[in-house]
Amino acid sequence: MKKIYSALLFVFTLLSLNGYAVTYTFIGNGNYATPSNWQGGIRPHYDDINGDTIVIEGNCTLDVPFRYTNIGHIWVKPGGLLTLSGVFLSNNFENDSGTLRIDGIVNNNVSFRHMSPVVLTGTFNNYGAYFFYGSSLTLNSGSTFENFVGGRVISGTITVHPGSNFINSGTLDGTVVINGNGNIINRGVLAPGNSPGTATINGNYTATASAVHNFEVGGLAASSYDRLNVSGNVVLAGTLNIALINGFAPATGNPDLSIITGTISGTFSTVNLPSRYQLVYTANSVLLRYLATLPVTFTKVDVRKEGGAARILWQVQSQVNVVRYDIEKSDNGSVFHKIGEIASSQADTYSLPDYQPKNKTFYRIKAIDIDGSFRYSAVVNYQNGNSLLSLKLFPNPIQGEVTLQHTTSTSKSKISVYSLDGKVVMTVVPAVGVQSTNLDFTSLKKGAYVLSYKVGDGIEESIKLIK
């Protein structure tokens, strides 16, 4: 029997070496290396199928490094299953110049590399690393490619036809282009570009609550920051992380960076931005905006009962050229008068007692810059020993740029502006840990609007504004 097998193997090898295409069919249930799992008992090579065709009709496990070249082809037929696994991390599956057609199921647990097309009508479950080398992946109708937790899909062109699904629960990074009108669902990590670069989706994109978007900014040119460009609908959710790279230092007057384009709906539930950046949602883009340098940023203003007195406390950051702080008081929240001042010492926290508080008193801090310019803190309403921070927009009626006073923001805070018919016309994510946010309403048409401030955890305040 061994002699017969050796003779057949010699004949198949001779045919292959002399340019004759040979078809090998896996019909068993088990390992690729076992000859009895192959039709006729003849197993093909591991490292070079040399123009031959491998057909998978059974349940095949391949657990060694594998490479096929010279226009070799692999076809996983309907009902067939190809599982790529291995003990060593160096194990890989390489497609140099043939075609891999998948009508059944492939489970990839290794480093999957291909330079020639992969056509999917069945299911590809990726748990390892999926590398494109100038090649493409095509998802035909009825197919599903899912990148599971721990898996990576790196730099390639993917065509997602209608009726197919591309689902990312792992990491999708590098310069990825997705064409077609199938369903692109992100449950994992999207990290566009090659530090930085662009992910392009010619179709629709949906992020779920578990999705994480890691974007990097290394400059102002379009090629210097990560972008997600979508031709269709974009449904946002999950987390957005922005990091500055390559020594980039933002400055006053920097233009807005359009990091996501498409027909936008939804917002990120958690946003982590570099200092002084703000996220702005519009109908067709998500913008990263750098705020102009101001004399000071108030991070917290509070009033505490101290015996019969009220102590006003405030915390600051970015004290640029501030010479002093004036403490102002009001009985009605409209007309204020100065009750004291403290010179700037570049400390983070300041305080001043008021020995004559009333049952209801309003306080605010005025930061005076070296050139005479100034900025006010939020107004604190002190009543019967308790302090309250109310939502306030000034000036109102508005013209262009305004300041919104609000309770201390968190990573889940969000500012939304609605027209009176309930449509969202602007959404802004404030910097974390501040009590006021600058807003630019220049693009808003004249009329009445409702501004909503969501602190997070279901807490929301609203005010009416007029332009």
Side-chain angles (χ1 to χ4, degrees):
M1 185 67 184
K2 184 179 292 186
K3 290 183 178 180
I4 295 174
Y5 172 76
S6 299
L8 287 172
L9 181 59
F10 173 76
V11 171
F12 273 81
T13 302
L14 187 63
L15 288 170
S16 181
L17 290 175
N18 283 277
Y20 293 96
V22 177
T23 297
Y24 302 88
T25 303
F26 188 98
I27 57 175
N29 182 3
N31 200 283
Y32 180 100
T34 305
S36 61
N37 286 326
W38 295 87
Q39 194 172 70
I42 305 300
R43 175 186 61 77
H45 300 288
Y46 287 115
D47 58 348
D48 191 344
I49 67 172
N50 198 34
D52 300 333
T53 298
I54 293 178
V55 178
I56 306 296
E57 294 183 353
N59 185 338
C60 177
T61 298
L62 179 61
D63 58 2
V64 295
F66 183 89
R67 182 182 185 188
Y68 62 106
T69 59
N70 299 329
I71 320 299
H73 303 281
I74 295 182
W75 179 19
V76 182
K77 296 184 71 173
L81 171 63
L82 175 61
T83 298
L84 308 176
S85 63
V87 176
F88 304 104
L89 292 176
S90 61
N91 278 7
N92 57 64
F93 181 96
E94 294 189 10
N95 163 20
D96 286 354
S97 57
T99 299
L100 174 60
R101 173 180 169 183
I102 303 169
D103 295 336
I105 299 172
V106 170
N107 295 323
N108 177 49
N109 298 281
V110 297
S111 178
F112 186 99
R113 308 161 187 262
H114 67 100
M115 300 177 190
S116 294
V118 173
V119 179
L120 181 64
T121 305
T123 300
F124 194 108
N125 298 318
N126 186 54
Y127 302 92
Y130 191 105
F131 290 89
F132 294 82
Y133 287 94
S135 186
S136 63
L137 167 65
T138 299
L139 277 65
N140 288 327
S141 179
S143 66
T144 296
F145 184 107
E146 182 158 4
N147 186 37
F148 285 86
V149 175
R152 291 182 68 196
V153 176
I154 305 162
S155 294
T157 299
I158 306 168
T159 299
V160 184
H161 287 299
S164 62
N165 295 285
F166 183 91
I167 302 171
N168 177 48
S169 300
T171 299
L172 179 63
D173 60 7
T175 302
V176 177
V177 178
I178 300 179
N179 299 311
N181 293 304
N183 300 308
I184 296 91
I185 303 169
N186 182 26
R187 299 171 180 164
V189 178
L190 172 64
N194 293 305
S195 296
T198 302
T200 302
I201 297 176
N202 296 311
N204 302 317
Y205 172 80
T206 298
T208 68
S210 62
V212 176
H213 304 75
N214 293 330
F215 283 57
E216 296 173 323
V217 177
L220 303 179
S223 59
S224 298
Y225 58 91
D226 286 341
R227 294 176 297 158
L228 170 61
N229 293 335
V230 181
S231 65
N233 297 321
V234 179
V235 180
L236 296 177
T239 299
L240 172 66
N241 298 314
I242 301 290
L244 303 183
I245 62 170
N246 300 333
F248 174 62
T252 300
N254 284 172
D256 292 344
L257 304 182
S258 181
I259 59 173
I260 301 175
T261 60
T263 303
I264 308 295
S265 64
T267 58
F268 297 108
S269 58
T270 301
V271 176
N272 297 306
L273 303 177
S275 176
R276 303 199 63 74
Y277 271 102
Q278 185 182 84
L279 198 66
V280 178
Y281 298 87
T282 71
N284 299 304
S285 64
V286 177
L287 305 174
L288 189 62
R289 176 172 295 167
Y290 184 71
L291 304 177
T293 301
L294 298 169
V296 66
T297 298
F298 291 95
T299 57
K300 185 176 182 180
V301 182
D302 195 12
V303 183
R304 301 175 184 174
K305 185 176 183 181
E306 196 173 82
R311 180 168 290 276
I312 304 99
L313 304 97
W314 63 100
Q315 296 177 349
V316 296
Q317 64 182 20
S318 304
Q319 299 180 77
V320 181
N321 297 326
V322 176
V323 293
R324 75 172 193 274
Y325 297 96
D326 289 351
I327 298 85
E328 297 184 348
K329 177 180 179 180
S330 172
D331 294 334
N332 57 17
S334 298
V335 180
F336 286 83
H337 63 277
K338 179 178 174 180
I339 61 171
E341 67 178 59
I342 292 180
S344 172
S345 63
Q346 299 305 309
D348 295 330
T349 303
Y350 298 85
S351 71
L352 183 82
D354 177 14
Y355 294 105
Q356 297 179 323
K358 296 183 178 180
N359 289 335
K360 184 176 182 180
T361 308
F362 298 88
Y363 297 96
R364 71 182 183 188
I365 311 301
K366 183 179 182 181
I368 312 297
D369 195 23
I370 194 171
D371 63 1
S373 61
F374 58 88
R375 185 185 183 194
Y376 287 111
S377 73
V379 176
V380 179
N381 182 359
Y382 181 73
Q383 297 185 45
N384 300 319
N386 297 309
S387 61
L388 303 171
L389 195 65
S390 57
L391 192 66
K392 186 175 182 181
L393 185 72
F394 50 89
N396 190 9
I398 63 175
Q399 295 297 324
E401 293 189 1
V402 298
T403 298
L404 177 68
Q405 167 191 298
H406 51 72
T407 54
T408 304
S409 57
T410 69
S411 62
K412 297 183 181 297
S413 296
K414 183 171 64 175
I415 300 166
S416 301
V417 179
Y418 299 87
S419 58
L420 294 185
D421 60 359
K423 294 181 179 178
V424 179
V425 296
M426 179 183 290
T427 304
V428 174
V429 175
V432 176
V434 300
Q435 293 183 327
S436 64
T437 299
N438 293 333
L439 303 171
D440 188 354
F441 290 149
T442 304
S443 61
L444 287 186
K445 298 178 181 178
K446 291 186 177 180
Y449 299 88
V450 175
L451 184 148
S452 168
Y453 174 69
K454 293 182 179 179
V455 184
D457 301 324
I459 302 174
E460 183 175 358
E461 298 178 88
S462 298
I463 58 173
K464 187 175 182 179
L465 60 93
I466 303 293
K467 182 178 181 183

